[in-house]
Amino acid sequence: MNIKLAHIIAARPNFIKAAPLIKELSDENYKNIIIHTNQHYDYKMSKIFFQELNIPEPDYHLGIKSGTHAEQTGRGLMSIEKVLLKEKPKALIVYGDVNSTLAGALAAVKLHIPVFHVESGCRSFDKTMPEEVNRIMIDNISDLLFCPTEHCVSNLITENAINVRHTGDLMYDSIK
């Protein structure tokens, strides 16, 4: 098959969610391009998760690191766009609600690359939380929305989202 899919990962929860999906896609002969933005960049917050979860070494380390929300998102958008232009994946898979996830989704949408959002529909209903704003924006620009729970599906249906799927919780799958 060898269809190329890119994955944006940036933080511990992303690593845990990505591990079982990347393994399953690899087993099905997809080519996974792993783009680590390095939003979490010290050894204990990153590399050890790759080792313990058997995630392949990332193809790209972007070195985004810390900064304001605008700095992280802006640096991420510029860096991710360059990788997507070079790799030309069939789709980009993003996880969760961190700034790197938003940057990846924005870069892909502007390049007409389909975006698949894992952990869609999660809501706190508190827009003072940066992650809540990211969740809403990512869900609104994604082509496929993969929800961990039926409650998340309901949230998206209320928002008139389309292409919503209840897929279950990848964090739970990682634990298994």
Side-chain angles (χ1 to χ4, degrees):
M1 186 176 296
N2 283 333
I3 294 172
K4 189 186 295 187
L5 300 172
H7 302 258
I8 298 293
I9 55 176
R12 289 167 298 186
N14 298 160
F15 309 151
I16 296 167
K17 291 172 205 142
L21 184 56
I22 290 170
K23 181 189 180 323
E24 183 67 27
L25 290 168
S26 292
D27 289 349
E28 294 293 323
N29 255 352
Y30 286 88
K31 178 164 178 41
N32 295 292
I33 304 299
I34 301 172
I35 305 165
H36 186 352
T37 67
N38 303 102
Q39 192 169 319
H40 283 177
Y41 49 89
D42 79 13
Y43 176 78
K44 288 183 180 176
M45 295 182 80
S46 181
K47 188 168 184 157
I48 196 164
F49 282 87
F50 284 83
Q51 293 171 345
E52 301 231 345
L53 296 170
N54 294 315
I55 302 170
E57 179 66 25
D59 299 281
Y60 296 90
H61 286 276
L62 302 184
I64 302 304
K65 301 190 179 180
S66 59
T68 68
H69 294 289
E71 290 169 339
Q72 279 187 332
T73 306
R75 285 194 307 264
L77 180 59
M78 292 184 297
S79 297
I80 293 165
E81 179 185 58
K82 289 176 186 171
V83 173
L84 296 177
L85 285 167
K86 177 181 176 188
E87 292 291 344
K88 297 178 179 38
K90 284 287 190 189
L92 177 71
I93 302 171
V94 296
Y95 302 83
D97 56 16
V98 297
N99 293 330
S100 294
T101 303
L102 176 60
L106 284 170
V109 164
K110 290 176 178 289
L111 295 172
H112 310 288
I113 297 169
V115 177
F116 303 164
H117 185 204
V118 172
E119 201 180 52
S120 291
C122 297
R123 296 289 183 269
S124 68
F125 303 102
D126 179 0
K127 287 187 182 175
T128 65
M129 296 174 58
E131 296 85 1
E132 180 70 358
V133 174
N134 288 351
R135 289 178 199 123
I136 293 166
M137 293 177 69
I138 296 161
D139 284 344
N140 274 280
I141 61 174
S142 293
D143 297 278
L144 284 174
L145 303 166
F146 298 115
C147 300
T149 68
E150 286 292 343
H151 184 72
C152 293
V153 171
S154 296
N155 288 339
L156 291 173
I157 290 170
T158 300
E159 296 173 12
N160 297 315
I162 57 172
N163 295 323
V164 178
R165 307 286 189 279
H166 176 217
T167 54
D169 188 348
L170 286 174
M171 285 239 208
Y172 177 76
D173 292 340
S174 279
I175 292 169
K176 288 193 329 189

